[in-house]
Every structure is written in structure tokens, then in C-alpha cells.
Amino acid sequence: MTLTEQTTERPEVRGVRRLSQPDPASRGRGGQRFLLVGLALASAYSLFPVWWLIVAATKDRTALYQSNGLWFSGWHLWDNLHQVFTYQDGIFLRWTANSFLYAGVGSLGGTLIALATGYGLARFDFPGRNAIFACVVGSFLIPIALLTLPLYLLFSAIGMVDTPWAMLIPCLINPFSVYLAKVYTEATIPYELLEAARIDGAGELRIFFSIVLRMMTTGGATVFLLAFVNTWNAFFLPLTVLRGKENWTLNLGLYNWTGTRLESGIDLTGLVLTGALLSIVPMAIMMVAMRRYWRTGVTLGALK
């Protein structure tokens, strides 16, 4: 026996069993199962209120209080919808139109301003740029509710309380949207493209509207959707600056119907639940409609 064989040969000990190496594939399958279980629990937690709302909107007043809250008891959805659309001369439709006005027009204007501001901060060098961006980031620390009273005092002084402008003007300024637009501009708009456009004789406005906006479609869609959801779900600001029922939003109107039971003894719980179900439909449609823009953004990031 050579020296090499002596050093490599190991004696076998009876009764001792070698431990096998763990299979990496089995560990990966265990992690996938744990992830799937976590995602299933998170999905159930998220969908549970929606399921309860759908079930509650199909019940009449008696079944709403006496039947199982997680399962159907009769089918009165069409009757509930008819009551929602006809109660108080169809004021629910007016609230829906107001919400679309505030969320749609305000978010569209706010998105355009945010994209222009983010593009300016990202691709133009001017004195005080870093200070302005620091103010934009620092404004995240200020709660939106803290600005409601100063806005009310300002609009009251200039006579804009209880007008659509009291809701539209605050929607035009969103520091977080400016931050997102700046980050997205830095990632998608190269300096060389802008310089080439300037050499060809294009002005700054033409560059922004013809080149920059088209390249920022994905980022603009994200900014618009976040602003739309935020304005659609707003409650404290319309509660403060809107007085007449004709200018209320959906959330404020449904809140008023909820308090009707305490004031006059009329139970409008069924109408409130049905109206709440209808109020989430536009946001669901918006999410589905803009899904392709997010998919484009993910693909763009993968190619980079």
C-alpha cells in the first residue's frame, strides 16, 4: 500500500452512520411552500372585507342583521341598487360625478405638474436645485391632515369654500408624485437624447411634450393612479371645505347617510353598504386598465 493510499483511506467504524448532505431542491420546495402559504393568507386577509361587502349588498334590512354575515340570504341586490340611485332624487349619482371630477381632473393636472417638476429637477442644473429637492423630500414629514385647516382658512379668505376649486387646487400639488417623477426621469431620460433634440432645433416645451412625456408613460400612469386613489378616498379635506350636499364626494355622502340613523332614526345601512360596493368599482377598473403600463415598466427594467 502506497503512502497516498494510506492517507486517503479511512477506516469504517461499525454502528456509525454518515449523514447525507441536504438536498438543495428539497429546501427550495420548502421555501416555496412557505411563500405560497403566506401569499394565500395575505390574499384571504385582503379579500375578506370585499367578500363581506358583496354579500351584505345582496341582503335586505332583515337579513342584514339576522343572517350569517359571510353568506348570502336572498337576492336583493337590484332592489338595493334601485334605492341607492333614487334616494333623495338620485343624489348618489351627483356624488359619483363629483368624485370623478375631483379625482380625475385633479389627478390629471397633478400628474402633468409632477412630471414637469420632476423632469426639471432631474435634467436641469440651476442654483438652488438641491435645496428645492430637499424641501420636496422634507414635505413628506408633514401630515396631510395638518394642512387642512390652513387650506380652509386660505380658501375662506378668497371665497373658494364649498366650490370645486377647494378640492381641485390641493390635488395639483403632491410632493411624493414629484419625487417619483424625478426618480423615473433619471432612469429613463438620457442626457444624450435631450442634447440631440436641442441640436436639431427643438425647443424645451416641444422636447417635454413630444419626447419626455411619451417616454414617461409608465411613470406617469403610476403617478396618476396613486393620485387618483388618494383623491378618491379623501375624507378629511372634503369634510372641511365642502358644505352643500351638491358638492360632496362619495365618501362624504355615504358618511352622511351613516349618521342619518342617529339623527332621524332612519336606518340606511343597506344603502351605505351598496353604495360602498359601487364606490370601489371605479378603482378596480382603473387598476385593470393600467396594468399593461406597469407590465411595460417591469419589462423595461428587466432589459436594462
Side-chain angles (χ1 to χ4, degrees):
M1 182 179 296
T2 62
L3 180 61
T4 305
E5 292 178 350
Q6 291 178 357
T7 55
T8 57
E9 189 177 84
R10 296 181 179 178
E12 295 184 0
V13 181
R14 294 183 181 181
V16 177
R17 187 176 182 181
R18 292 184 179 180
L19 297 177
S20 58
Q21 294 292 333
D23 187 7
S26 62
R27 288 187 297 179
R29 287 193 295 268
Q32 291 179 357
R33 294 192 190 99
F34 180 78
L35 180 61
L36 290 176
V37 171
L39 291 176
L41 293 177
S43 301
Y45 178 79
S46 302
L47 295 176
F48 178 80
V50 180
W51 171 255
W52 177 85
L53 187 61
I54 294 174
V55 172
T58 62
K59 299 179 180 180
D60 57 3
R61 185 181 305 174
T62 303
L64 189 62
Y65 293 105
Q66 298 181 0
S67 62
N68 184 7
L70 298 179
W71 197 247
F72 301 94
S73 178
W75 187 263
H76 303 275
L77 178 61
W78 310 122
D79 296 335
N80 294 336
L81 291 176
H82 177 74
Q83 293 178 9
V84 167
F85 292 137
T86 58
Y87 185 73
Q88 293 182 345
D89 298 328
I91 192 65
F92 182 84
L93 296 176
R94 179 62 182 269
W95 295 339
T96 304
N98 292 337
S99 295
F100 272 111
L101 173 65
Y102 304 147
V105 177
S107 301
L108 185 62
T111 300
L112 183 60
I113 294 176
L115 294 179
T117 307
Y119 166 68
L121 291 174
R123 289 295 177 258
F124 288 91
D125 190 10
F126 54 90
R129 183 182 67 170
N130 295 331
I132 294 176
F133 182 68
C135 292
V136 171
V137 176
S139 62
F140 297 164
L141 303 177
I142 303 177
I144 298 178
L146 190 63
L147 301 176
T148 303
L149 182 58
L151 287 174
Y152 172 78
L153 296 177
L154 176 62
F155 292 145
S156 178
I158 60 180
M160 284 189 179
V161 173
D162 200 25
T163 63
W165 293 108
M167 284 293 299
L168 291 175
I169 292 178
C171 296
L172 299 178
I173 307 300
N174 191 335
F176 185 69
S177 298
V178 174
Y179 173 77
L180 289 180
K182 180 182 182 299
V183 173
Y184 194 81
T185 300
E186 293 175 345
T188 58
I189 309 298
Y191 283 104
E192 295 78 9
L193 179 63
L194 302 178
E195 292 298 330
R198 294 188 181 103
I199 293 175
D200 291 339
E204 296 299 335
L205 289 179
R206 184 178 180 183
I207 292 175
F208 176 72
F209 286 102
S210 301
I211 299 176
V212 176
L213 283 185
R214 294 185 179 181
M215 296 183 65
M216 296 179 65
T217 304
T218 303
T222 304
V223 171
F224 173 80
L225 184 59
L226 293 176
F228 184 90
V229 173
N230 186 34
T231 306
W232 186 273
N233 293 329
F235 177 76
F236 194 50
L237 179 63
L239 179 65
T240 305
V241 300
L242 300 178
R243 298 175 181 174
K245 292 184 178 181
E246 294 77 11
N247 295 324
W248 284 356
T249 61
L250 268 178
N251 291 336
L252 194 56
L254 295 176
Y255 172 76
N256 178 260
W257 281 358
T258 305
T260 303
R261 180 179 181 181
L262 301 177
E263 296 176 359
S264 60
I266 302 176
D267 189 3
L268 300 179
T269 305
L271 272 68
V272 172
L273 294 176
T274 306
L277 178 63
L278 293 175
S279 67
I280 66 176
V281 173
M283 287 189 292
I285 296 176
M286 191 73 64
M287 294 284 290
V288 174
M290 292 191 170
R291 181 179 56 183
R292 64 188 184 94
Y293 293 103
W294 298 341
R295 186 180 303 170
T296 303
V298 172
T299 306
L300 180 63
L303 293 177
K304 286 184 178 181

